[in-house]
Amino acid sequence: MAPTKIEDGVVVSLVYKLTVDGDILDQSSADDPLQYLHGADNIIPGLEKALTGLAVGDNKQVVVEPLDAYGDYDPDDVEDVERSLFPPEVELEEGLVLAMRDESGNQFEATVIEVDDEYVALDFNHPLAGETLTFDVKVIDLRDPTVDELAHGHPHAPGMNVH
Ligand code: ZN
């Protein structure tokens, strides 16, 4: 029997719209819903908490403060890096988002905020740090996870194999 409400260990399909200050930043449609495993840190904590207990067909507007989303903006999380450390073919300009990896292979992003002849100032804050996020969500499906999904801690797209 399919689960009837959102609780830990349920795979949730959501149609959602994310707005910040009235601008739509991200959305999913019913054809391509967001799927996540509830209780497994797949989505930001403030949204996950607010969805607990909802059923299929429920609509909800969830306002998430920075602390329960991507954190406060940290002005110390900006660093000057020598320009010579970047490959010469990279066109460094303000606003460019660079995908980087740390020593353990975790991916993260940095935004170029200033460039001069010698240094590049990189902002390591998440682009949504310090922002209050508004999600308009509709729950469109609830199901139990497969054994693999439960072991991995996230849902798999239909037909997705071991990865
Ligand atoms: Zn997996």
Side-chain angles (χ1 to χ4, degrees), residues 104-122:
S104 347
N106 298 311
Q107 226 177 15
F108 62 97
E109 290 182 344
T111 308
V112 175
I113 53 171
E114 214 184 318
V115 187
D116 67 21
D117 290 342
E118 269 182 88
Y119 289 101
V120 180
L122 295 179

Side-chain angles (χ1 to χ4, degrees), residues 148-149 151-156 160-163:
D148 272 354
E149 288 174 327
H152 288 198
H154 56 231
H156 293 154
M160 188 176 175
N161 292 315
V162 180
H163 62 110

Side-chain angles (χ1 to χ4, degrees), residues 12-71:
V12 181
S13 296
L14 285 182
V15 176
Y16 76 96
K17 188 174 72 177
L18 165 61
T19 54
V20 172
D21 298 329
D23 295 327
I24 299 175
L25 293 197
D26 199 9
Q27 56 189 328
S28 69
S29 66
D31 300 335
D32 189 20
L34 168 73
Q35 272 200 36
Y36 77 96
L37 178 62
H38 197 78
D41 290 330
N42 292 174
I43 61 174
I44 57 169
L47 179 59
E48 186 169 65
K49 217 184 308 169
L51 295 174
T52 304
L54 295 187
V56 172
D58 283 352
N59 291 285
K60 190 170 187 177
Q61 186 173 76
V62 181
V63 177
V64 184
E65 300 295 331
L67 217 58
D68 286 324
Y70 295 101

Side-chain angles (χ1 to χ4, degrees), residues 130-143:
E131 303 283 7
T132 297
L133 312 179
T134 301
F135 292 92
D136 287 287
V137 303
K138 181 176 187 184
V139 181
I140 59 169
D141 187 57
L142 300 177
R143 65 171 174 83

